[in-house]
PDB file of all heavy atoms in Angstrom:
ATOM      1  N   ARG A   1     -26.361  28.922  37.220  1.00  0.00           N
ATOM      2  CA  ARG A   1     -25.866  29.479  35.973  1.00  0.00           C
ATOM      3  C   ARG A   1     -26.253  30.948  35.875  1.00  0.00           C
ATOM      4  O   ARG A   1     -27.117  31.423  36.613  1.00  0.00           O
ATOM      5  CB  ARG A   1     -26.478  28.729  34.773  1.00  0.00           C
ATOM      6  CG  ARG A   1     -26.050  27.303  34.713  1.00  0.00           C
ATOM      7  CD  ARG A   1     -26.555  26.563  33.481  1.00  0.00           C
ATOM      8  NE  ARG A   1     -27.712  27.114  32.805  1.00  0.00           N
ATOM      9  CZ  ARG A   1     -28.537  26.389  32.045  1.00  0.00           C
ATOM     10  NH1 ARG A   1     -28.319  25.089  31.911  1.00  0.00           N
ATOM     11  NH2 ARG A   1     -29.569  26.945  31.440  1.00  0.00           N
ATOM     12  N   GLU A   2     -25.638  31.645  34.956  1.00  0.00           N
ATOM     13  CA  GLU A   2     -25.943  33.071  34.796  1.00  0.00           C
ATOM     14  C   GLU A   2     -27.406  33.300  34.439  1.00  0.00           C
ATOM     15  O   GLU A   2     -28.001  34.299  34.848  1.00  0.00           O
ATOM     16  CB  GLU A   2     -25.040  33.683  33.720  1.00  0.00           C
ATOM     17  CG  GLU A   2     -23.590  33.845  34.163  1.00  0.00           C
ATOM     18  CD  GLU A   2     -22.772  34.589  33.120  1.00  0.00           C
ATOM     19  OE1 GLU A   2     -23.363  35.049  32.115  1.00  0.00           O
ATOM     20  OE2 GLU A   2     -21.541  34.710  33.319  1.00  0.00           O
ATOM     21  N   ASP A   3     -27.998  32.374  33.675  1.00  0.00           N
ATOM     22  CA  ASP A   3     -29.400  32.547  33.314  1.00  0.00           C
ATOM     23  C   ASP A   3     -30.351  32.050  34.396  1.00  0.00           C
ATOM     24  O   ASP A   3     -31.570  32.126  34.254  1.00  0.00           O
ATOM     25  CB  ASP A   3     -29.718  31.857  31.980  1.00  0.00           C
ATOM     26  CG  ASP A   3     -29.483  30.342  32.026  1.00  0.00           C
ATOM     27  OD1 ASP A   3     -29.241  29.794  33.126  1.00  0.00           O
ATOM     28  OD2 ASP A   3     -29.558  29.712  30.960  1.00  0.00           O
ATOM     29  N   GLY A   4     -29.806  31.524  35.499  1.00  0.00           N
ATOM     30  CA  GLY A   4     -30.635  31.090  36.617  1.00  0.00           C
ATOM     31  C   GLY A   4     -31.458  29.856  36.354  1.00  0.00           C
ATOM     32  O   GLY A   4     -32.425  29.578  37.074  1.00  0.00           O
ATOM     33  N   ARG A   5     -31.076  29.051  35.364  1.00  0.00           N
ATOM     34  CA  ARG A   5     -31.900  27.911  34.977  1.00  0.00           C
ATOM     35  C   ARG A   5     -31.255  26.567  35.283  1.00  0.00           C
ATOM     36  O   ARG A   5     -31.663  25.551  34.741  1.00  0.00           O
ATOM     37  CB  ARG A   5     -32.235  28.005  33.485  1.00  0.00           C
ATOM     38  CG  ARG A   5     -33.003  29.262  33.123  1.00  0.00           C
ATOM     39  CD  ARG A   5     -33.333  29.314  31.653  1.00  0.00           C
ATOM     40  NE  ARG A   5     -34.183  28.217  31.230  1.00  0.00           N
ATOM     41  CZ  ARG A   5     -34.541  27.989  29.966  1.00  0.00           C
ATOM     42  NH1 ARG A   5     -34.085  28.790  29.005  1.00  0.00           N
ATOM     43  NH2 ARG A   5     -35.320  26.976  29.661  1.00  0.00           N
ATOM     44  N   GLY A   6     -30.285  26.546  36.151  1.00  0.00           N
ATOM     45  CA  GLY A   6     -29.651  25.289  36.500  1.00  0.00           C
ATOM     46  C   GLY A   6     -28.351  25.524  37.233  1.00  0.00           C
ATOM     47  O   GLY A   6     -27.989  26.653  37.567  1.00  0.00           O
ATOM     48  N   VAL A   7     -27.637  24.432  37.503  1.00  0.00           N
ATOM     49  CA  VAL A   7     -26.366  24.497  38.220  1.00  0.00           C
ATOM     50  C   VAL A   7     -25.285  25.016  37.280  1.00  0.00           C
ATOM     51  O   VAL A   7     -25.165  24.575  36.132  1.00  0.00           O
ATOM     52  CB  VAL A   7     -25.984  23.106  38.754  1.00  0.00           C
ATOM     53  CG1 VAL A   7     -24.576  23.125  39.341  1.00  0.00           C
ATOM     54  CG2 VAL A   7     -26.994  22.656  39.801  1.00  0.00           C
ATOM     55  N   GLY A   8     -24.480  25.968  37.790  1.00  0.00           N
ATOM     56  CA  GLY A   8     -23.417  26.535  36.975  1.00  0.00           C
ATOM     57  C   GLY A   8     -22.033  26.399  37.578  1.00  0.00           C
ATOM     58  O   GLY A   8     -21.037  26.443  36.850  1.00  0.00           O
ATOM     59  N   ALA A   9     -21.957  26.228  38.912  1.00  0.00           N
ATOM     60  CA  ALA A   9     -20.649  26.156  39.563  1.00  0.00           C
ATOM     61  C   ALA A   9     -20.836  25.680  40.995  1.00  0.00           C
ATOM     62  O   ALA A   9     -21.963  25.607  41.513  1.00  0.00           O
ATOM     63  CB  ALA A   9     -19.956  27.522  39.546  1.00  0.00           C
ATOM     64  N   VAL A  10     -19.728  25.367  41.646  1.00  0.00           N
ATOM     65  CA  VAL A  10     -19.724  25.038  43.069  1.00  0.00           C
ATOM     66  C   VAL A  10     -18.627  25.832  43.752  1.00  0.00           C
ATOM     67  O   VAL A  10     -17.576  26.110  43.159  1.00  0.00           O
ATOM     68  CB  VAL A  10     -19.509  23.535  43.325  1.00  0.00           C
ATOM     69  CG1 VAL A  10     -20.713  22.729  42.882  1.00  0.00           C
ATOM     70  CG2 VAL A  10     -18.238  23.032  42.639  1.00  0.00           C
ATOM     71  N   ARG A  11     -18.895  26.223  44.976  1.00  0.00           N
ATOM     72  CA  ARG A  11     -17.871  26.865  45.809  1.00  0.00           C
ATOM     73  C   ARG A  11     -17.279  25.783  46.699  1.00  0.00           C
ATOM     74  O   ARG A  11     -18.011  25.103  47.424  1.00  0.00           O
ATOM     75  CB  ARG A  11     -18.467  27.991  46.641  1.00  0.00           C
ATOM     76  CG  ARG A  11     -17.424  28.739  47.482  1.00  0.00           C
ATOM     77  CD  ARG A  11     -17.987  30.048  48.038  1.00  0.00           C
ATOM     78  NE  ARG A  11     -19.158  29.819  48.848  1.00  0.00           N
ATOM     79  CZ  ARG A  11     -19.122  29.503  50.151  1.00  0.00           C
ATOM     80  NH1 ARG A  11     -17.954  29.369  50.773  1.00  0.00           N
ATOM     81  NH2 ARG A  11     -20.237  29.325  50.830  1.00  0.00           N
ATOM     82  N   LEU A  12     -15.965  25.619  46.645  1.00  0.00           N
ATOM     83  CA  LEU A  12     -15.260  24.570  47.371  1.00  0.00           C
ATOM     84  C   LEU A  12     -14.450  25.167  48.511  1.00  0.00           C
ATOM     85  O   LEU A  12     -13.919  26.279  48.404  1.00  0.00           O
ATOM     86  CB  LEU A  12     -14.312  23.812  46.434  1.00  0.00           C
ATOM     87  CG  LEU A  12     -14.951  23.175  45.189  1.00  0.00           C
ATOM     88  CD1 LEU A  12     -13.858  22.689  44.242  1.00  0.00           C
ATOM     89  CD2 LEU A  12     -15.865  22.037  45.587  1.00  0.00           C
ATOM     90  N   THR A  13     -14.365  24.424  49.610  1.00  0.00           N
ATOM     91  CA  THR A  13     -13.529  24.835  50.737  1.00  0.00           C
ATOM     92  C   THR A  13     -12.615  23.678  51.136  1.00  0.00           C
ATOM     93  O   THR A  13     -12.967  22.512  50.970  1.00  0.00           O
ATOM     94  CB  THR A  13     -14.373  25.252  51.958  1.00  0.00           C
ATOM     95  OG1 THR A  13     -15.154  24.139  52.394  1.00  0.00           O
ATOM     96  CG2 THR A  13     -15.285  26.414  51.621  1.00  0.00           C
ATOM     97  N   ALA A  14     -11.457  24.015  51.689  1.00  0.00           N
ATOM     98  CA  ALA A  14     -10.531  23.018  52.215  1.00  0.00           C
ATOM     99  C   ALA A  14     -10.323  23.283  53.701  1.00  0.00           C
ATOM    100  O   ALA A  14     -10.720  24.328  54.232  1.00  0.00           O
ATOM    101  CB  ALA A  14      -9.210  23.082  51.462  1.00  0.00           C
ATOM    102  N   ALA A  15      -9.686  22.351  54.370  1.00  0.00           N
ATOM    103  CA  ALA A  15      -9.502  22.466  55.812  1.00  0.00           C
ATOM    104  C   ALA A  15      -8.679  23.686  56.196  1.00  0.00           C
ATOM    105  O   ALA A  15      -8.847  24.227  57.297  1.00  0.00           O
ATOM    106  CB  ALA A  15      -8.832  21.194  56.344  1.00  0.00           C
ATOM    107  N   ASP A  16      -7.821  24.161  55.314  1.00  0.00           N
ATOM    108  CA  ASP A  16      -6.997  25.333  55.629  1.00  0.00           C
ATOM    109  C   ASP A  16      -7.727  26.646  55.356  1.00  0.00           C
ATOM    110  O   ASP A  16      -7.145  27.726  55.471  1.00  0.00           O
ATOM    111  CB  ASP A  16      -5.685  25.294  54.847  1.00  0.00           C
ATOM    112  CG  ASP A  16      -5.898  25.320  53.330  1.00  0.00           C
ATOM    113  OD1 ASP A  16      -7.053  25.430  52.885  1.00  0.00           O
ATOM    114  OD2 ASP A  16      -4.886  25.235  52.595  1.00  0.00           O
ATOM    115  N   GLY A  17      -8.998  26.562  54.976  1.00  0.00           N
ATOM    116  CA  GLY A  17      -9.786  27.762  54.726  1.00  0.00           C
ATOM    117  C   GLY A  17      -9.758  28.251  53.294  1.00  0.00           C
ATOM    118  O   GLY A  17     -10.451  29.211  52.948  1.00  0.00           O
ATOM    119  N   THR A  18      -8.983  27.599  52.437  1.00  0.00           N
ATOM    120  CA  THR A  18      -8.911  27.996  51.035  1.00  0.00           C
ATOM    121  C   THR A  18     -10.261  27.791  50.352  1.00  0.00           C
ATOM    122  O   THR A  18     -10.915  26.754  50.532  1.00  0.00           O
ATOM    123  CB  THR A  18      -7.846  27.175  50.292  1.00  0.00           C
ATOM    124  OG1 THR A  18      -6.591  27.349  50.954  1.00  0.00           O
ATOM    125  CG2 THR A  18      -7.737  27.606  48.842  1.00  0.00           C
ATOM    126  N   GLU A  19     -10.683  28.773  49.575  1.00  0.00           N
ATOM    127  CA  GLU A  19     -11.936  28.678  48.826  1.00  0.00           C
ATOM    128  C   GLU A  19     -11.662  28.836  47.333  1.00  0.00           C
ATOM    129  O   GLU A  19     -10.849  29.665  46.930  1.00  0.00           O
ATOM    130  CB  GLU A  19     -12.929  29.751  49.269  1.00  0.00           C
ATOM    131  CG  GLU A  19     -13.523  29.521  50.639  1.00  0.00           C
ATOM    132  CD  GLU A  19     -14.753  30.389  50.881  1.00  0.00           C
ATOM    133  OE1 GLU A  19     -15.137  31.158  49.977  1.00  0.00           O
ATOM    134  OE2 GLU A  19     -15.337  30.279  51.966  1.00  0.00           O
ATOM    135  N   THR A  20     -12.334  28.032  46.534  1.00  0.00           N
ATOM    136  CA  THR A  20     -12.257  28.149  45.078  1.00  0.00           C
ATOM    137  C   THR A  20     -13.643  27.944  44.500  1.00  0.00           C
ATOM    138  O   THR A  20     -14.512  27.329  45.139  1.00  0.00           O
ATOM    139  CB  THR A  20     -11.303  27.099  44.467  1.00  0.00           C
ATOM    140  OG1 THR A  20     -11.748  25.795  44.868  1.00  0.00           O
ATOM    141  CG2 THR A  20      -9.875  27.319  44.913  1.00  0.00           C
ATOM    142  N   VAL A  21     -13.864  28.447  43.318  1.00  0.00           N
ATOM    143  CA  VAL A  21     -15.113  28.233  42.595  1.00  0.00           C
ATOM    144  C   VAL A  21     -14.781  27.504  41.306  1.00  0.00           C
ATOM    145  O   VAL A  21     -13.900  27.921  40.549  1.00  0.00           O
ATOM    146  CB  VAL A  21     -15.833  29.563  42.295  1.00  0.00           C
ATOM    147  CG1 VAL A  21     -17.048  29.332  41.397  1.00  0.00           C
ATOM    148  CG2 VAL A  21     -16.250  30.241  43.593  1.00  0.00           C
ATOM    149  N   ARG A  22     -15.472  26.390  41.075  1.00  0.00           N
ATOM    150  CA  ARG A  22     -15.245  25.606  39.865  1.00  0.00           C
ATOM    151  C   ARG A  22     -16.541  25.503  39.066  1.00  0.00           C
ATOM    152  O   ARG A  22     -17.599  25.159  39.623  1.00  0.00           O
ATOM    153  CB  ARG A  22     -14.754  24.197  40.229  1.00  0.00           C
ATOM    154  CG  ARG A  22     -13.410  24.149  40.932  1.00  0.00           C
ATOM    155  CD  ARG A  22     -12.249  24.481  40.019  1.00  0.00           C
ATOM    156  NE  ARG A  22     -12.077  23.516  38.958  1.00  0.00           N
ATOM    157  CZ  ARG A  22     -11.240  22.472  39.021  1.00  0.00           C
ATOM    158  NH1 ARG A  22     -10.489  22.291  40.122  1.00  0.00           N
ATOM    159  NH2 ARG A  22     -11.113  21.651  38.016  1.00  0.00           N
ATOM    160  N   PRO A  23     -16.501  25.791  37.760  1.00  0.00           N
ATOM    161  CA  PRO A  23     -17.701  25.658  36.939  1.00  0.00           C
ATOM    162  C   PRO A  23     -18.047  24.185  36.704  1.00  0.00           C
ATOM    163  O   PRO A  23     -17.162  23.372  36.398  1.00  0.00           O
ATOM    164  CB  PRO A  23     -17.319  26.351  35.639  1.00  0.00           C
ATOM    165  CG  PRO A  23     -15.831  26.266  35.583  1.00  0.00           C
ATOM    166  CD  PRO A  23     -15.353  26.314  36.995  1.00  0.00           C
ATOM    167  N   VAL A  24     -19.310  23.816  36.874  1.00  0.00           N
ATOM    168  CA  VAL A  24     -19.797  22.459  36.601  1.00  0.00           C
ATOM    169  C   VAL A  24     -21.231  22.569  36.080  1.00  0.00           C
ATOM    170  O   VAL A  24     -21.919  23.563  36.302  1.00  0.00           O
ATOM    171  CB  VAL A  24     -19.778  21.552  37.853  1.00  0.00           C
ATOM    172  CG1 VAL A  24     -18.357  21.267  38.311  1.00  0.00           C
ATOM    173  CG2 VAL A  24     -20.599  22.147  38.980  1.00  0.00           C
ATOM    174  N   ASP A  25     -21.659  21.533  35.394  1.00  0.00           N
ATOM    175  CA  ASP A  25     -23.031  21.471  34.901  1.00  0.00           C
ATOM    176  C   ASP A  25     -23.945  20.662  35.809  1.00  0.00           C
ATOM    177  O   ASP A  25     -25.178  20.744  35.692  1.00  0.00           O
ATOM    178  CB  ASP A  25     -23.054  20.854  33.495  1.00  0.00           C
ATOM    179  CG  ASP A  25     -22.237  21.663  32.509  1.00  0.00           C
ATOM    180  OD1 ASP A  25     -22.529  22.862  32.359  1.00  0.00           O
ATOM    181  OD2 ASP A  25     -21.310  21.091  31.903  1.00  0.00           O
ATOM    182  N   GLY A  26     -23.356  19.845  36.676  1.00  0.00           N
ATOM    183  CA  GLY A  26     -24.167  19.019  37.555  1.00  0.00           C
ATOM    184  C   GLY A  26     -23.384  18.511  38.744  1.00  0.00           C
ATOM    185  O   GLY A  26     -22.142  18.537  38.747  1.00  0.00           O
ATOM    186  N   LEU A  27     -24.104  18.084  39.761  1.00  0.00           N
ATOM    187  CA  LEU A  27     -23.497  17.591  40.991  1.00  0.00           C
ATOM    188  C   LEU A  27     -24.192  16.305  41.415  1.00  0.00           C
ATOM    189  O   LEU A  27     -25.422  16.206  41.368  1.00  0.00           O
ATOM    190  CB  LEU A  27     -23.619  18.637  42.097  1.00  0.00           C
ATOM    191  CG  LEU A  27     -23.050  18.285  43.467  1.00  0.00           C
ATOM    192  CD1 LEU A  27     -22.561  19.543  44.172  1.00  0.00           C
ATOM    193  CD2 LEU A  27     -24.067  17.575  44.366  1.00  0.00           C
ATOM    194  N   PHE A  28     -23.382  15.328  41.843  1.00  0.00           N
ATOM    195  CA  PHE A  28     -23.900  14.062  42.353  1.00  0.00           C
ATOM    196  C   PHE A  28     -23.417  13.863  43.787  1.00  0.00           C
ATOM    197  O   PHE A  28     -22.213  13.879  44.042  1.00  0.00           O
ATOM    198  CB  PHE A  28     -23.438  12.892  41.485  1.00  0.00           C
ATOM    199  CG  PHE A  28     -24.073  12.871  40.124  1.00  0.00           C
ATOM    200  CD1 PHE A  28     -23.501  13.568  39.074  1.00  0.00           C
ATOM    201  CD2 PHE A  28     -25.238  12.164  39.900  1.00  0.00           C
ATOM    202  CE1 PHE A  28     -24.076  13.569  37.816  1.00  0.00           C
ATOM    203  CE2 PHE A  28     -25.831  12.159  38.657  1.00  0.00           C
ATOM    204  CZ  PHE A  28     -25.260  12.860  37.607  1.00  0.00           C
ATOM    205  N   ALA A  29     -24.347  13.694  44.714  1.00  0.00           N
ATOM    206  CA  ALA A  29     -24.006  13.398  46.102  1.00  0.00           C
ATOM    207  C   ALA A  29     -23.906  11.886  46.253  1.00  0.00           C
ATOM    208  O   ALA A  29     -24.922  11.183  46.144  1.00  0.00           O
ATOM    209  CB  ALA A  29     -25.061  13.961  47.038  1.00  0.00           C
ATOM    210  N   CYS A  30     -22.691  11.387  46.475  1.00  0.00           N
ATOM    211  CA  CYS A  30     -22.447   9.939  46.586  1.00  0.00           C
ATOM    212  C   CYS A  30     -21.995   9.631  48.008  1.00  0.00           C
ATOM    213  O   CYS A  30     -20.831   9.289  48.258  1.00  0.00           O
ATOM    214  CB  CYS A  30     -21.401   9.509  45.572  1.00  0.00           C
ATOM    215  SG  CYS A  30     -21.871   9.807  43.856  1.00  0.00           S
ATOM    216  N   LEU A  31     -22.912   9.786  48.948  1.00  0.00           N
ATOM    217  CA  LEU A  31     -22.580   9.718  50.371  1.00  0.00           C
ATOM    218  C   LEU A  31     -23.235   8.541  51.074  1.00  0.00           C
ATOM    219  O   LEU A  31     -23.332   8.511  52.296  1.00  0.00           O
ATOM    220  CB  LEU A  31     -23.016  11.023  51.062  1.00  0.00           C
ATOM    221  CG  LEU A  31     -22.500  12.319  50.422  1.00  0.00           C
ATOM    222  CD1 LEU A  31     -23.094  13.524  51.117  1.00  0.00           C
ATOM    223  CD2 LEU A  31     -20.979  12.363  50.467  1.00  0.00           C
ATOM    224  N   GLY A  32     -23.717   7.576  50.294  1.00  0.00           N
ATOM    225  CA  GLY A  32     -24.394   6.441  50.897  1.00  0.00           C
ATOM    226  C   GLY A  32     -25.850   6.745  51.195  1.00  0.00           C
ATOM    227  O   GLY A  32     -26.406   7.744  50.734  1.00  0.00           O
ATOM    228  N   THR A  33     -26.447   5.882  51.974  1.00  0.00           N
ATOM    229  CA  THR A  33     -27.862   6.016  52.296  1.00  0.00           C
ATOM    230  C   THR A  33     -28.088   5.954  53.805  1.00  0.00           C
ATOM    231  O   THR A  33     -27.226   5.500  54.555  1.00  0.00           O
ATOM    232  CB  THR A  33     -28.692   4.909  51.624  1.00  0.00           C
ATOM    233  OG1 THR A  33     -28.216   3.622  52.077  1.00  0.00           O
ATOM    234  CG2 THR A  33     -28.584   4.976  50.108  1.00  0.00           C
ATOM    235  N   ALA A  34     -29.267   6.411  54.214  1.00  0.00           N
ATOM    236  CA  ALA A  34     -29.669   6.381  55.619  1.00  0.00           C
ATOM    237  C   ALA A  34     -31.136   5.991  55.675  1.00  0.00           C
ATOM    238  O   ALA A  34     -31.878   6.176  54.703  1.00  0.00           O
ATOM    239  CB  ALA A  34     -29.458   7.753  56.260  1.00  0.00           C
TER     240      ALA A  34
END
């Protein structure tokens, strides 16, 4: 975030190289376990 106190956005990429930035307040990694 702008105040540096938490998550404010994510930078996304696609297979064609396209990049976008989307504002979010939180992120959850749902990739299973190891």
Side-chain angles (χ1 to χ4, degrees):
R1 295 184 339 204
E2 288 186 5
D3 61 9
R5 300 181 62 185
V7 172
V10 291
R11 183 167 58 85
L12 303 170
T13 61
D16 61 3
T18 303
E19 288 195 0
T20 57
V21 173
R22 296 288 296 265
V24 293
D25 300 303
L27 179 149
F28 290 88
C30 299
L31 307 175
T33 59

